[in-house]
Amino acid sequence: MKKLSIVTAIVGFAASGVLPLLATTGDEAQAVAAGASARSSLGSQTLSVDTASLTDESDETARDAYSATSMIDVVTQNLQNRRAAANTTYEGPTTADYLANPLYPELDRDQVLAVALQYIGTPYVHGGEDPSKFDCSGLITFVYAQFGIKLTHYVPTQNTEGRTITESEAVPGDLVVFDNLAHDGIYAGNGMILDAPKPGGFVDVRPIWNQAHHFVRIDG
């Protein structure tokens, strides 16, 4: 009983100390990076990221939909969001800018993958939609905007904005969508996915793990 009381007191203290963060707006929820400071230029895109003080996050935090397994998960994410928002900047075209003035005159799926590859190492941030921070559907939205294609920043809607194709038809540049509509990414070929995986993670190419999924083709 004494141990249970101590644990209850600790959790209660942690929650009471950070519960006000739950009132933060979506604009403040821009978080999660790890590693050293970095600065790079991607054509006309310039970004600066100071990520030294941020920590990893549990695999149990759901991708993109941002549901969490407990209140402490939510509180921890919001703390990281506020710290990352103060340390991450991006100067360059937005999704809207690219939709108005696409970089590429027509959709080329090989080029889609090539564009996405330049964002490897970008930290996952829920709601992120620029090269300083991406979530899974935000990465796809930003990449496809450069081809003048408008996609909704939301996995279930992206799933319906294209057409489902078979695995044998899929080519690099198509979308990989999890059947539970909690996550998506860009197909990199040979059973690989390029995605913004989860809080604490970074855009990368990895094998499509053991999760039911299907392929979606966005037509130009």
Side-chain angles (χ1 to χ4, degrees):
M1 285 296 292
K2 181 178 290 185
K3 289 182 178 179
L4 179 59
S5 298
I6 292 172
V7 170
T8 301
I10 291 172
V11 172
F13 175 78
S16 64
V18 289
L19 273 176
L21 293 177
L22 297 178
T24 56
T25 67
D27 289 339
E28 291 176 308
Q30 305 293 313
V32 185
S37 299
R39 184 174 183 86
S40 62
S41 296
L42 306 173
S44 60
Q45 306 168 7
T46 302
L47 63 99
S48 178
V49 182
D50 180 3
T51 61
S53 63
L54 300 178
T55 60
D56 199 0
E57 180 66 13
S58 169
D59 287 344
E60 296 179 352
T61 303
R63 296 176 176 86
D64 204 63
Y66 191 54
S67 60
T69 56
S70 71
M71 181 179 292
I72 297 302
D73 290 334
V74 176
V75 169
T76 300
Q77 181 67 63
N78 275 283
L79 282 168
Q80 293 175 335
N81 286 351
R82 295 184 67 179
R83 292 161 71 184
N87 294 320
T88 303
T89 60
Y90 166 71
E91 298 173 2
T94 64
T95 297
D97 293 333
Y98 281 131
L99 289 173
N101 296 288
L103 280 180
Y104 306 96
E106 60 184 28
L107 178 63
D108 179 318
R109 290 183 181 83
D110 286 338
Q111 189 66 40
V112 166
L113 178 60
V115 170
L117 284 168
Q118 68 184 314
Y119 303 122
I120 285 178
T122 302
Y124 177 101
V125 175
H126 175 67
E129 195 183 315
D130 68 50
S132 68
K133 55 194 180 300
F134 284 121
D135 65 14
C136 63
S137 59
L139 170 64
I140 291 170
T141 297
F142 190 80
V143 168
Y144 268 85
Q146 296 179 48
F147 296 84
I149 296 176
K150 183 177 181 179
L151 295 178
T152 306
H153 186 165
Y154 185 52
V155 175
T157 307
Q158 288 182 353
N159 184 58
T160 64
E161 289 173 331
R163 54 188 174 89
T164 301
I165 58 175
T166 65
E167 183 174 0
S168 62
E169 294 177 285
V171 298
D174 286 325
L175 305 189
V176 180
V177 182
F178 284 14
D179 289 355
N180 62 8
L181 302 183
H183 185 63
D184 61 358
I186 295 172
Y187 186 47
N190 298 317
M192 306 290 281
I193 185 174
L194 186 155
D195 65 343
K198 62 180 181 178
F202 302 84
V203 175
D204 204 353
V205 177
R206 72 198 80 242
I208 303 173
W209 52 94
N210 187 23
Q211 174 77 33
H213 61 275
H214 58 278
F215 297 87
V216 170
R217 175 159 295 167
I218 305 296
D219 293 311

